[in-house]
Amino acid sequence: MNPTIRILGIDPGLRNTGWGVIDVTGTNLKFVASGTVQSTQALALAQRLVELHDGLTRVIEEFVPNEAAVEQTFVNKDAGATLKLGQARGIALLVPGLKGLPIGEYLPNLIKKTVIGAGHGDKKQIRMMVRVLMPKATFNSDDAADALAIAVCHAHHRGAAAAAARVAARIGQ
């Protein structure tokens, strides 16, 4: 009998950070919950990061995941936007890290390839495939749908990610 693993997927963003929780038993995926943590644009950057921290902390406390997965930041032409996204991503890594959760990190193209079968696709395709994979899935934003896709990607690649972490730990010793 395969144990059930609860995975929290996080799609980091300074304005909207999507989250999605799934249960994985063997190859079976089950939707648990999803949502979006929003920061208040009128606040200073530090306060916005606190809002993201507090929101993700509440999600982890409510749903008690075993593992987390976060989308890796891509570099775009706007250096300021990339830096802000990196800061939000730091919060997305910090919160589950503080709870002692193993964290997988995945490039956007791998997430898309895992969920829709191609490394390039749009938000509509991701939403559709998340619903195909988990018919009971609901989400209030594209960010929440993306977070569920990140969790699905982790469910498929978590064994490889764990092995890579063990190798990295051995090299660091």
Side-chain angles (χ1 to χ4, degrees), residues 9 11-13 33 50 62 72 92 98 106 109 111 125 141 146 158:
D11 181 30
V50 168
E62 180 175 352
Q72 288 184 352
L98 287 171
Y106 301 96
N109 286 350
I111 296 164
Q125 290 173 301
S141 69
D146 287 350
R158 60 188 287 276

Side-chain angles (χ1 to χ4, degrees), residues 4-109:
T4 297
I5 304 296
R6 180 160 285 182
I7 299 171
L8 168 63
I10 303 172
D11 181 30
L14 183 58
R15 199 175 285 159
N16 297 306
T17 290
W19 59 270
V21 179
I22 65 172
D23 283 344
V24 181
T25 308
T27 58
N28 294 323
L29 306 174
K30 179 183 171 196
F31 170 77
V32 176
S34 70
T36 308
V37 177
Q38 298 179 318
S39 71
T40 307
Q41 262 188 292
L43 294 178
L45 176 61
Q47 289 310 114
R48 293 177 76 184
L49 295 173
V50 168
E51 287 182 324
L52 296 178
H53 173 277
D54 293 349
L56 287 175
T57 298
R58 284 190 295 274
V59 169
I60 288 175
E61 288 172 352
E62 180 175 352
F63 295 103
V64 194
N66 304 105
E67 299 177 9
V70 178
E71 184 177 60
Q72 288 184 352
T73 302
F74 61 92
V75 178
N76 62 35
K77 294 176 185 171
D78 182 351
T82 300
L83 181 60
K84 288 178 182 176
L85 177 59
Q87 291 166 328
R89 189 172 176 281
I91 297 300
L93 291 166
L94 174 70
V95 174
L98 287 171
K99 300 293 185 179
L101 299 180
I103 304 167
E105 298 177 59
Y106 301 96
L107 291 169
N109 286 350

Side-chain angles (χ1 to χ4, degrees), residues 134-151:
M134 296 175 292
K136 294 182 181 182
T138 59
F139 30 85
N140 62 0
S141 69
D142 284 341
D143 303 297
D146 287 350
L148 287 167
I150 293 162

Side-chain angles (χ1 to χ4, degrees), residues 11 71 112 116 121-129 139 142-143 145-146:
D11 181 30
E71 184 177 60
K112 290 175 185 173
I116 64 175
D122 61 21
K123 302 280 186 188
K124 184 178 177 182
Q125 290 173 301
I126 291 171
R127 282 175 166 256
M128 182 190 71
M129 284 307 298
F139 30 85
D142 284 341
D143 303 297
D146 287 350

